[in-house]
Amino acid sequence: PAGAAAFCIDRFEGALEVQVGASWVPRTPFGPLSTAEVVRAVPADGVVPQAYISGDEATAACLASGKRLCSAAEWLAACRGPANTVWPYGASYVAGACNDTYPGGHPVVDYFGTNQGIWNMTSMNDHGINQQPDTVDPGGANAACVSAWGAFDLHGNLHEWVDDAAGTFRGGFFADASLNGAGCTYATTAHPMSYHDYSTGFRCCQ
């Protein structure tokens, strides 16, 4: 991109492989990581990307694959394309292009059937939340949700951590991709890099 150093960005959000003996096997994308798991990042091409991941864990997973977490500037350049559009696919919002229109009320409330006593790390990391219908889509499933550079799902699907020590994830997710900015400009800055819940994902750059 003009004005930025050359870089590569994964075309898809990140999935994880976990080390089992001498082999690497796909990890379930549902539920948070345990400290015992040794993981590395792989592009979620046609598979459900990893949610429930912190910025610190995403950083480590990218490094384990010889990559790194994208900077905010890189992520924005990849999303907005050479024409600097607001949405990855263009200048105007297109309903249904990306996974950003969860039809229920709130996915956590829908899962637990109540809005009482659920706004805590244990409940918001329950593996069942993202196994509900109309939550996370496999990488690339939304064919129109692609940037000019060929990167899918930069808007909606899962929030994506970027390399910011203060803690920032970008792009919105399946149940909210508008409250904190339109399209590529969406950014959440309310959490530390150690935070994770059902909505937090990532992708790698190099």
Side-chain angles (χ1 to χ4, degrees), residues 37-121:
E37 290 179 285
V38 177
V39 299
R40 68 181 182 185
V42 293
D45 183 357
V47 300
V48 175
Q50 180 68 46
Y52 306 92
I53 190 168
S54 72
D56 293 331
E57 291 165 341
T59 298
C62 288
L63 289 173
S65 295
K67 302 177 184 179
R68 55 180 173 74
L69 210 56
C70 305
S71 72
E74 288 169 338
W75 193 98
L76 272 171
C79 189
R80 302 189 73 164
N84 204 37
T85 56
V86 174
W87 283 270
Y89 46 74
S92 302
Y93 179 72
V94 177
C98 296
N99 180 16
D100 63 351
T101 52
Y102 177 73
H106 189 287
V108 182
V109 176
D110 291 344
Y111 181 70
F112 287 103
T114 178
N115 61 6
Q116 301 298 311
I118 59 173
W119 308 113
N120 57 71
M121 287 292 284

Side-chain angles (χ1 to χ4, degrees), residues 82-161:
N84 204 37
T85 56
V86 174
W87 283 270
Y89 46 74
S92 302
Y93 179 72
V94 177
C98 296
N99 180 16
D100 63 351
T101 52
Y102 177 73
H106 189 287
V108 182
V109 176
D110 291 344
Y111 181 70
F112 287 103
T114 178
N115 61 6
Q116 301 298 311
I118 59 173
W119 308 113
N120 57 71
M121 287 292 284
T122 299
S123 295
M124 292 181 68
N125 281 278
D126 192 292
H127 63 87
I129 297 170
N130 284 1
Q131 296 185 64
Q132 298 177 104
D134 303 309
T135 56
V136 187
D137 285 339
N142 299 282
C145 192
V146 62
S147 77
W149 301 116
F152 289 88
D153 302 314
L154 286 157
H155 177 70
N157 216 34
L158 288 175
H159 290 307
E160 297 183 26
W161 286 104

Side-chain angles (χ1 to χ4, degrees), residues 161-189:
W161 286 104
V162 293
D163 186 13
D164 171 16
T168 298
F169 42 80
R170 305 200 67 102
F173 79 114
F174 60 82
D176 164 40
S178 61
L179 287 180
N180 293 329
C184 298
T185 69
Y186 188 111
T188 298
T189 56

